[in-house]
Amino acid sequence: MKITVKRDSAFEIYELEDGAYTLLEALNKIKRELDNTLSFSSGCRSSVCGSCAMRVNEKEVLACSYKVQEGDLIEPLNNMPVIRDLVVDMDKSYEMNVKAKAWIKTINSEAVLDHEAEKINEVQSDCILCGSCYSSCPVYAVNGEFLGPFSLTRVWKYVSDKRENDAAEKIDTIQTNGIWDCTLCNNCTVVCPQNISSKADIEKLRVRSSMFGYSDPNFGSFGGGFDGGFGFDGSPSF
Amino acid sequence: MKTDVLIIGAGGAGLMAAIAAKEEGVDVLVLTKEYPTRSQTCMAQGGMNAALGNVAEDSVEDHIQNTLKSAHGEADEESIRFMCSEAINAVEYLDSIGVCFSRTGDGKIAQRRLGGASAPRACYAQDYTGLKILHTLYDRANALGIEFVNDTFLLEVLKDEDGNACGAKVLDIRSGELKTYIAKTVILATGGYSRIYDKYSTNSTASSGDGIAAALRAGAKLKDMEFVQFHPTGLKNSSILISESARGEGGYLLNSKGERFTDELAPRDQVSRAIDEQIKKGEDIFLDIRHLGESFIDEGLPQERKLAKLYENVDPVHDLIPIKPVAHYTMGGIAVDNRSQTNVERLYACGECANHNVHGANRLGGNSLLEIVVFGREAGRNAATKAKEVASLSVPAHTECFLEKEFSNTVDFYKYKEKIGNLLYNKVGIVRKKSELKDALEELEMIKSLLPQMGWSDTSAVYNTNKQEFLEFRNIVEVSEVVIQSALGRDESCGAHYMEAQS
């Protein structure tokens, strides 16, 4: 079978034995036997470390959980600087967790977590930070300051945690370049290998924000008055 | 680049050490070969031991006794007492920073029984215990403003003229530059060495013993390196782990004739030996969970079904899963005292790369996550305290740089990486013989002598993983040598080190 890999210089075609094996196994074979210079990242081989996220036929996958097929086109993740071949620089998306203050601020030691409470953020805490969601996000593509899917999911994880005594700071933090910038396109949900929906988490954060007195700034300019919401020629100004 | 405490490795132990050191009020910098959260810790599924007694009666003393028994007399009772006593605090701490432990109906942390435990003692977060602990520690490190430098490969631990550790020489993988970090104290948290067994290991490809090899070169002592724990159920072709819970839930082990041949719930070393014996008789070995039924498998063992389909092309609902025992956890490592300090002044170690004398010849399930939290914190605190005593940063003495040596690159190291894995699995594996250990050492010395003829063919400075893998290969060679020598130094069988009598 032949697969095409997007390299720094050009698209390169590699010929491999036919068979049912993972893309990561295919890449390792190329690296060890055909071309020592091919660069990619990998780790656990069992879908929990998040290292081998890349794009196959324009969709984000983990190379270790995708079975390679004849004619596949392999590319690095989108929306992040490519360091080399399939390796991208994820520092900035990791940094979004810091910007979004994704952690418990003040612990409420009185809070009792039961089964039900456990389920509230169980899926969100399955996140492996692979970056597939950032790669698929059209908002992040045009606004590098957008906090982005996995960091907002992480914020929801902590905001929804009964042990967090002081969610206000996190809610304040995600108002700018955060929850209201998301277009709810759902790409992140489609590509997430852990079946997390950041889109749904963002919607929940919007509801929670309204409880803190925030409203959607996109609709804020719709109020009455001649200059409210529309420009002189009648076109929307938002 | 300068800091007070330099930590190398950002898995569970490194992150815990960083948090503890930062909380002592010193400057902390963490270097990691990949990104934080991509370490081996994320692969831990089962749980973390603490005698909370939440679902059945339990005591710290029982935890201590179980651990001592599993260690086969090769551990230090005082260290074990300390770890088991601190376990309850450790779980409370993790709970307080937001780890989503699974809960009982009345809101307590749920616990389950793992092999060798006299009570349900392992606190868990579904099948993702390691992942969730690791990620929450990372979030806490972010909250404290701890700085990370990603894609950094440790070359050497640096020492000053007086022999104190004072920093590290590293390869910046992204730029290809050699860089020096200077610190008052250094903590190694670089993980275990199961990957010396190459394709016969459940571990991440990163577990190549880099920190252990660098510590050895810096004059640190290693201890109990012969103790390598084999997991009975790695997938036959890929060595991907099929969790012990498959047997815990009632899975059988069968040979080619469809016969059961061992107690599936005996300790890991015994089950691995039973399988090994069958394989040597020419049998193929399978894990059978078909009788558990599709709905049960989908509910309780979904990851196992997915991995078996993906890597063996079998669906465990209808098919047998081909398995073999593979290297899983390494008990040996850098010798440290009960303050996590190595014999090199100002050099500390924690996590799987260190040997805190708590696992001895066989680690008890659920004690590895416990170890990284308890001793990660100790290493961080002690290294920070020491850093405060050190008046000023030292100047590193000259260290020879491996990368500046001549390499003709006429011999392919990837082939030898595989050869070493096969050699170790066949001759330094589950059942060992003195004559085979000697053969293995001889063969390894031959491979070591070929190092100057190896090298890397990728000439790019930027993200040269070919060069990085060669550096890992060098560490694999050095660590393997110590493993074989240590195995040769112990005549009697003990836990994971099983010697077959010579006829």
Side-chain angles (χ1 to χ4, degrees):
Chain A
M1 92 177 94
K2 283 180 183 161
I3 63 168
T4 305
V5 180
K6 188 179 182 191
R7 309 275 317 257
D8 288 344
S9 44
F11 288 91
E12 195 139 352
I13 297 167
Y14 294 102
E15 175 123 31
L16 296 159
E17 287 166 46
D18 287 339
Y21 45 94
T22 66
L23 173 58
L24 180 58
E25 288 173 315
L27 294 172
N28 277 321
K29 211 170 166 53
I30 295 170
K31 178 84 179 171
R32 284 187 174 205
E33 294 166 19
L34 303 176
D35 184 351
N36 295 163
T37 68
L38 180 67
S39 299
F40 56 93
S41 300
S42 72
C44 73
R45 305 162 297 139
S46 48
S47 317
V48 286
C49 78
S51 304
C52 66
M54 53 189 70
R55 288 163 71 239
V56 178
N57 307 327
E58 302 189 334
K59 197 201 158 195
E60 287 72 10
V61 299
L62 296 178
C64 70
S65 67
Y66 173 79
K67 270 203 189 144
V68 67
Q69 315 219 342
E70 171 70 42
D72 278 342
L73 171 64
I74 321 297
E75 295 174 280
L77 291 181
N78 268 338
N79 301 337
M80 300 173 211
V82 174
I83 299 174
R84 186 176 169 195
D85 298 338
L86 301 170
V87 181
V88 294
D89 180 347
M90 286 189 59
D91 285 357
K92 199 169 169 191
S93 37
Y94 261 70
E95 187 68 23
M96 290 305 178
N97 288 322
V98 182
K99 284 196 173 165
K101 303 192 177 176
W103 51 71
I104 279 194
K105 187 178 179 227
T106 319
I107 190 80
N108 174 6
S109 49
E110 302 293 305
V112 177
L113 286 191
D114 53 17
H115 257 324
E116 213 176 311
E118 179 194 336
K119 297 291 168 199
I120 293 174
N121 51 32
E122 184 183 305
V123 176
Q124 285 78 5
S125 59
D126 289 345
C127 173
I128 57 173
L129 296 175
C130 69
S132 293
C133 52
Y134 281 76
S135 173
S136 74
C137 177
V139 179
Y140 192 65
V142 294
N143 176 10
E145 297 307 309
F146 177 49
L147 291 172
F150 72 44
S151 80
L152 291 169
T153 274
R154 209 159 262 248
V155 169
W156 173 250
K157 175 193 172 286
Y158 286 111
V159 162
S160 64
D161 194 319
K162 282 171 78 178
R163 291 166 294 186
E164 173 59 276
N165 221 1
D166 183 7
E169 188 187 47
K170 275 188 277 292
I171 294 290
D172 291 346
T173 306
I174 56 169
Q175 299 304 311
T176 310
N177 288 316
I179 51 172
W180 308 108
D181 293 74
C182 169
T183 59
L184 306 180
C185 76
N186 210 35
N187 282 5
C188 52
T189 312
V190 174
V191 301
C192 178
Q194 295 290 79
N195 299 316
I196 299 165
S197 173
S198 289
K199 178 216 172 203
D201 296 334
I202 288 166
E203 288 178 309
K204 286 180 246 175
L205 282 167
R206 287 183 178 185
V207 173
R208 190 61 66 93
S209 293
S210 64
M211 289 156 72
F212 279 80
Y214 286 103
S215 56
D216 188 343
N218 300 318
F219 293 108
S221 54
F222 267 120
F226 290 107
D227 56 350
F230 294 92
F232 184 72
D233 63 358
S235 61
S237 62
F238 53 88
Chain B
M1 286 147 278
K2 293 167 184 169
T3 187
D4 292 328
V5 178
L6 181 69
I7 298 171
I8 300 156
L15 290 173
M16 194 61 234
I19 291 165
K22 188 78 177 183
E23 283 176 344
E24 291 292 321
V26 297
D27 286 338
V28 175
L29 183 67
V30 184
L31 308 180
T32 153
K33 185 157 89 165
E34 307 161 288
Y35 290 86
T37 73
R38 290 192 173 176
S39 62
Q40 189 60 33
T41 307
C42 71
M43 294 176 76
Q45 297 182 357
M48 169 172 165
N49 288 336
L52 303 175
N54 280 357
V55 296
E57 204 174 306
D58 196 11
S59 70
V60 171
E61 190 57 35
D62 284 351
H63 186 184
I64 293 166
Q65 293 308 324
N66 293 161
T67 306
L68 274 170
K69 186 177 174 209
S70 183
H72 291 265
E74 292 297 318
D76 175 54
E77 184 167 344
E78 196 191 334
S79 300
I80 290 178
R81 281 192 177 277
F82 177 76
M83 180 178 79
C84 298
S85 310
E86 283 297 310
I88 294 157
N89 277 335
V91 168
E92 277 172 5
Y93 170 75
L94 294 176
D95 191 39
S96 79
I97 62 170
V99 173
C100 305
F101 285 115
S102 295
R103 299 277 162 173
T104 63
D106 57 350
K108 289 178 184 165
I109 290 173
Q111 296 186 280
R112 62 182 163 207
R113 185 186 238 125
L114 296 180
S118 58
R121 187 179 293 137
C123 308
Y124 59 95
Q126 303 91 43
D127 258 1
Y128 282 130
T129 317
L131 178 84
K132 296 190 184 193
I133 289 175
L134 177 68
H135 280 243
T136 314
L137 287 173
Y138 170 64
D139 294 343
R140 178 61 16 198
N142 276 341
L144 294 170
I146 289 166
E147 195 186 334
F148 296 91
V149 186
N150 305 321
D151 286 323
T152 302
F153 188 93
L154 170 66
L155 292 169
E156 308 299 340
V157 172
L158 297 173
K159 297 203 290 187
D160 64 18
E161 297 291 351
D162 300 325
N164 304 308
C166 67
K169 185 164 199 171
V170 304
L171 171 71
D172 177 332
I173 301 169
R174 293 184 189 174
S175 67
E177 287 171 87
L178 299 183
K179 289 181 176 167
T180 300
Y181 288 86
I182 306 292
K184 290 178 178 173
T185 55
V186 179
I187 302 176
L188 293 171
T190 50
Y193 51 94
S194 284
R195 268 281 161 174
I196 61 172
Y197 289 81
D198 198 45
K199 67 180 178 189
Y200 298 100
S201 168
T202 60
N203 276 211
S204 159
T205 42
S207 302
S208 46
D210 304 327
I212 296 173
L216 179 67
R217 294 193 290 268
K221 290 196 176 105
L222 309 183
K223 189 170 181 291
D224 299 337
M225 294 292 284
E226 68 276 29
F227 296 137
V228 176
Q229 184 171 72
F230 284 79
H231 196 291
T233 57
L235 288 178
K236 190 179 177 190
N237 292 308
S238 60
S239 298
I240 301 274
L241 180 68
I242 295 295
S243 165
E244 198 152 306
S245 55
R247 278 173 293 134
E249 301 288 4
Y252 301 140
L253 290 169
L254 303 178
N255 61 19
S256 315
K257 302 183 194 86
E259 300 161 339
R260 287 175 72 186
F261 54 87
T262 185
D263 169 12
E264 283 86 356
L265 294 175
R268 281 178 185 172
D269 55 339
Q270 282 181 38
V271 180
S272 294
R273 280 199 297 278
I275 297 173
D276 190 61
E277 202 183 311
Q278 291 281 320
I279 291 175
K280 283 181 178 149
K281 283 184 195 161
E283 298 285 334
D284 290 319
I285 305 302
F286 304 92
L287 176 64
D288 184 4
I289 58 171
R290 294 173 299 180
H291 53 288
L292 301 180
E294 181 161 17
S295 59
F296 183 87
I297 291 170
D298 279 347
E299 177 63 28
L301 303 163
Q303 239 197 114
E304 278 59 40
R305 186 177 187 188
K306 180 179 142 189
L307 293 170
K309 277 182 174 176
L310 195 61
Y311 283 99
E312 300 288 335
N313 293 311
V314 297
D315 182 351
V317 171
H318 311 291
D319 309 313
L320 297 172
I321 312 169
I323 55 101
K324 66 173 186 247
V326 287
H328 180 60
Y329 183 89
T330 46
M331 276 74 76
I334 305 161
V336 288
D337 63 15
N338 57 11
R339 302 178 62 77
S340 302
Q341 207 196 307
T342 71
N343 59 302
V344 175
E345 197 62 22
R346 300 182 199 171
L347 181 65
Y348 298 75
C350 56
E352 197 175 336
C353 74
N355 186 339
H356 276 95
N357 296 314
V358 288
H359 304 311
N362 199 20
R363 176 180 63 83
L364 200 61
N367 271 356
S368 61
L369 288 174
L370 174 59
E371 182 200 5
I372 61 179
V373 177
V374 169
F375 289 109
R377 188 175 52 191
E378 285 303 301
R381 279 181 188 162
N382 292 323
T385 306
K386 183 75 185 179
K388 287 183 205 167
E389 290 167 14
V390 177
S392 60
L393 291 161
S394 315
V395 177
H398 176 73
T399 315
E400 200 179 310
C401 183
F402 179 73
L403 282 173
E404 282 159 10
K405 289 186 177 169
E406 293 282 324
F407 296 101
S408 66
N409 193 27
T410 49
V411 173
D412 177 8
F413 77 85
Y414 287 111
K415 286 209 171 71
Y416 281 91
K417 197 172 170 185
E418 199 179 326
K419 270 192 180 171
I420 291 177
N422 296 345
L423 179 71
L424 292 177
Y425 190 68
N426 293 323
K427 297 191 172 173
V428 198
I430 299 160
V431 174
R432 300 163 178 183
K433 285 184 195 165
K434 197 143 207 167
S435 58
E436 290 185 349
L437 291 173
K438 281 181 183 162
D439 290 347
L441 189 60
E442 208 170 293
E443 199 162 333
L444 191 84
E445 299 298 351
M446 189 279 292
I447 295 171
K448 192 179 182 184
S449 72
L450 293 176
L451 270 174
Q453 286 154 258
M454 298 180 185
W456 56 96
S457 41
D458 182 358
T459 53
S460 167
V462 176
Y463 223 93
N464 189 334
T465 48
N466 183 216
K467 186 199 263 182
Q468 185 191 325
E469 284 165 357
F470 178 61
L471 289 167
E472 286 171 348
F473 177 76
R474 170 213 195 188
N475 294 332
I476 286 169
V477 169
E478 290 181 2
V479 169
S480 300
E481 189 178 21
V482 183
V483 170
I484 305 173
Q485 282 164 345
S486 305
L488 273 168
R490 188 182 292 271
D491 288 330
E492 82 290 3
S493 292
C494 181
H497 174 73
Y498 189 86
M499 292 293 283
E500 190 172 86
Q502 299 271 50
S503 51

